[in-house]
Amino acid sequence: MVLLLCTTTQFSYEKVSAAGQDKTQHFGFKRSINEKLPSIQEEGFADIIEKNEALFLGNTSKKALYLTFDNGYENGFTAPILDVLREKQVPAAFFVTGHYIQDQPELIKRMAKEGHIIGNHSWSHPDMTTMSNDQIRQELAKVKEGVAQLTGQSIMNYLRPPRGIFNDRVLAISHEEGYISAFWSLAYKDWEVNKQRGADYAYQQVMKQLHPGSIMLIHSVSSDNAGALARIIDDARAKGYTFESLDQLMAERLLGNTLP
């Protein structure tokens, strides 16, 4: 699974060597501090991200934030998160798996009803670099079809590669299927449900990484995130940030208005 310092601290993982399009990459980045932009140049895959028109940063020409949640399974916090988003009038994107579609149909319907983007996080959360092209397409199609059956929405524009694992081939196939692969530029280790450290910790981890164009990865299984979300929204706005949707970002990108 996976819905979130100008230092060398990174989300870094062991990279598996292969050749060409099949070289497996694990997404990582150099974090922001003091609102400076984070970087993926040190990771060796910036060209693949750019080539396949994937997202790492949003619109860095303004203080825009893009809330995204990864929903692999439900831990009791998505409804409260949706309550906060509705109260604060904040758009978000929820990346869902097949398990979530089958287990939480009412929450899927609520996300759509309240105007949030529902994105593809694959059906079974596999390492898609190990799969054939047809298997990748099937993983994505089952999620799209499952969400459409619940919500009536036949269009699904965004994909978050499961586990943050990808390669050129996976991104290229996803793009061919009509998806923008959405990575992230703000996140912290929030997904371990037995190692939660309190809402104040979550608040501090997010706030110290804010930067213009932040695509924020938040795991909805985290009680810390659920408890901190309202305060994060209020205090980010107090610092001059606005919360925008990935759809708005893509519209601006088409107009050429997303340059740093």
Side-chain angles (χ1 to χ4, degrees):
M1 198 200 63
V2 264
L3 274 188
L4 198 251
L5 304 166
C6 198
T7 76
T8 57
T9 303
Q10 309 170 36
F11 285 125
S12 59
Y13 305 83
E14 181 182 357
K15 294 184 174 67
V16 181
S17 295
Q21 282 193 315
D22 289 325
K23 181 179 180 181
T24 300
Q25 306 281 2
H26 292 68
F27 188 78
F29 64 99
K30 183 177 180 179
R31 298 187 193 183
S32 168
I33 190 171
N34 295 329
E35 300 184 296
K36 295 180 181 179
L37 296 183
S39 172
I40 56 173
Q41 294 300 320
E42 301 82 359
E43 299 297 326
F45 49 67
D47 56 336
I48 298 175
I49 298 293
E50 181 178 359
K51 170 187 173 183
N52 291 289
E53 300 183 326
L55 296 175
F56 156 56
L57 286 167
N59 189 342
T60 59
S61 69
K62 59 182 180 177
K63 297 181 78 170
L65 304 175
Y66 310 88
L67 261 180
T68 73
F69 295 86
D70 281 3
N71 288 68
Y73 67 96
E74 182 53 39
N75 198 29
F77 301 115
T78 304
I81 285 169
L82 287 166
D83 291 343
V84 170
L85 297 177
R86 181 174 58 191
E87 176 189 352
K88 304 293 184 182
Q89 294 295 292
V90 170
F94 291 87
F95 291 91
V96 301
T97 62
H99 172 79
Y100 202 88
I101 292 167
Q102 293 177 317
D103 188 57
Q104 299 295 330
E106 295 307 313
L107 284 174
I108 295 282
K109 293 175 185 177
R110 181 178 172 187
M111 292 169 189
K113 182 178 180 181
E114 296 183 0
H116 300 296
I117 291 168
I118 301 176
N120 201 321
H121 199 37
S122 79
W123 186 259
S124 61
H125 207 263
D127 173 354
M128 293 199 297
T129 67
T130 67
M131 307 179 80
S132 71
N133 294 358
D134 285 344
Q135 287 172 325
I136 293 170
R137 292 188 176 97
Q138 290 169 13
E139 279 280 329
L140 303 183
K142 289 176 70 176
V143 171
K144 183 177 180 180
E145 292 165 5
V147 170
Q149 289 174 5
L150 291 173
T151 67
Q153 295 182 356
S154 60
I155 296 174
M156 183 171 280
N157 293 324
Y158 305 98
L159 164 70
R160 176 154 288 154
R163 312 185 203 176
I165 302 175
F166 67 100
N167 57 22
D168 188 22
R169 180 177 64 90
V170 167
L171 296 190
I173 294 167
S174 302
H175 201 285
E176 289 173 5
E177 293 300 303
Y179 290 97
I180 298 295
S181 292
F183 292 97
W184 56 89
S185 62
L186 185 159
Y188 76 102
K189 193 173 182 179
D190 61 348
W191 59 87
E192 294 181 321
V193 297
N194 295 321
K195 296 182 180 180
Q196 298 293 288
R197 301 174 64 174
D200 188 63
Y201 177 79
Y203 171 86
Q204 297 294 338
Q205 294 304 306
V206 171
M207 295 299 292
K208 71 183 181 182
Q209 293 185 64
L210 289 184
H211 58 271
S214 303
I215 298 180
M216 305 167 69
L217 167 58
I218 305 293
H219 285 86
S220 60
V221 295
S222 165
S223 59
D224 291 356
N225 288 335
L229 183 59
R231 184 182 172 199
I232 289 170
I233 291 170
D234 289 344
D235 288 3
R237 282 173 166 165
K239 291 170 69 70
Y241 285 94
T242 59
F243 288 87
E244 300 182 1
S245 74
L246 293 181
D247 282 345
Q248 184 172 346
L249 169 60
M250 293 310 300
E252 292 168 345
R253 175 185 272 198
L254 288 173
L255 293 172
N257 295 334
T258 62
L259 296 177

